[in-house]
Amino acid sequence: MTHTSSAPAVKRTSSALLRSPVAALLAVLLAASGVLLGAGGAQAAGYRYWSFWEADGKSWAYATQGPSLVRPDDGTVQGFRFAVSEDSADADRPRHAPDFGAICADTPAKGGAKRVALVIDPGTAEDAPAGEKPPAPRTACAQVAPDASSAEALASVAKPLRYDSSAMICAISGYPKSGCGEQVPGDGSKKDGSGTDGSGKPTDNASASTSSAPAADDGDGGGGPSAGLLLGIGAVLLLGLAAVFQARRRR
């Protein structure tokens, strides 16, 4: 009688012992997943480069082609902004309004030439490479041949220019002295360096051209967990589920 009555108690004790390590295992797996996901988010990084912009009415739109490919019309306003950003949607726009009339007021029209208003914004000290100080933002009215590209218009008023092997602009008027589209570690946060002078938000569908935005890194330098990290988390969770299944089968 005593033996019969103790059987349920033994079963309950065994079940409790099984549940305890299983629960502990699941807790460890969830904690590990949280740490790994947190580590992936902390790896968010940006790129330090000159971005290229075009006037969209009274605001700025991120250019979908590089300045060496664009052939602006007479009366066009274009901008260049040096800053650290993750992508085109995150990029800081020029801090001067795209006002052709004000920028080219002292440059009269001339036959056989076109006028292109340029806003050149070297950005803030926060985005400057170590040991360098950004010059003040400025505007210029380039008067160039009718078929001149945006890069040629820029060269006429902002030498020296520096390019890399992929035709990406690395320096305007000698700034910065070194570096070109290098990756900069970040915390995923975005400061507001746009100013409040009528500038617009970059278009979300703008593509990164070879001469304005660096190519995205396929490794773990993006704003979230890499594919390898997610696969690793999935494998760990699958192992945990298999352990739970085996523990239940042994009951």
Side-chain angles (χ1 to χ4, degrees):
M1 189 71 176
T2 303
H3 175 74
T4 303
S5 62
S6 65
V10 172
K11 186 175 181 179
R12 286 195 299 271
T13 302
S14 300
S15 297
L17 289 173
L18 283 171
R19 283 196 298 269
S20 296
V22 169
L25 175 61
L26 287 177
V28 170
L29 290 173
L30 289 173
S33 299
V35 170
L36 288 172
L37 286 171
Q43 291 173 354
Y47 297 88
R48 182 183 286 117
Y49 69 100
W50 280 99
S51 56
F52 177 43
W53 302 79
E54 296 178 308
D56 182 12
K58 294 182 179 181
S59 62
W60 291 108
Y62 198 96
T64 57
Q65 291 182 302
S68 62
L69 299 177
V70 176
R71 306 280 171 177
D73 294 328
D74 181 72
T76 297
V77 186
Q78 298 181 323
F80 295 85
R81 171 67 191 267
F82 188 79
V84 174
S85 60
E86 293 181 26
D87 50 41
S88 60
D90 180 66
D92 287 333
R93 50 202 180 272
R95 293 171 294 173
H96 191 288
D99 188 339
F100 178 83
I103 296 172
C104 288
D106 297 329
T107 306
K110 184 173 66 174
K114 64 181 177 183
R115 293 177 297 169
V116 179
L118 299 173
V119 174
I120 303 169
D121 186 347
T124 65
E126 183 179 3
D127 289 329
E132 296 201 50
K133 181 180 179 181
R138 68 186 184 94
T139 62
C141 186
Q143 196 160 49
V144 291
D147 62 346
S149 66
S150 299
E152 290 170 325
L154 179 65
S156 71
V157 297
K159 290 180 179 179
L161 303 180
R162 178 166 55 85
Y163 290 86
D164 70 359
S165 58
S166 65
M168 176 179 171
I169 292 180
C170 302
I172 296 177
S173 296
Y175 180 79
K177 296 178 181 178
S178 61
C180 192
E182 64 271 19
Q183 194 174 46
V184 180
D187 58 3
S189 62
K190 186 70 182 79
K191 63 188 180 305
D192 181 11
S194 61
T196 56
D197 51 11
S199 298
K201 185 180 177 66
T203 55
D204 292 334
N205 61 351
S207 62
S209 65
T210 58
S211 49
S212 60
D217 189 351
D218 292 332
D220 59 0
S226 67
L229 177 62
L230 294 176
L231 287 173
I233 293 172
V236 171
L237 292 176
L238 285 175
L239 288 173
L241 291 174
V244 172
F245 179 73
Q246 289 295 332
R248 287 182 176 177
R249 288 188 61 185
R250 294 194 189 102
R251 291 183 185 181

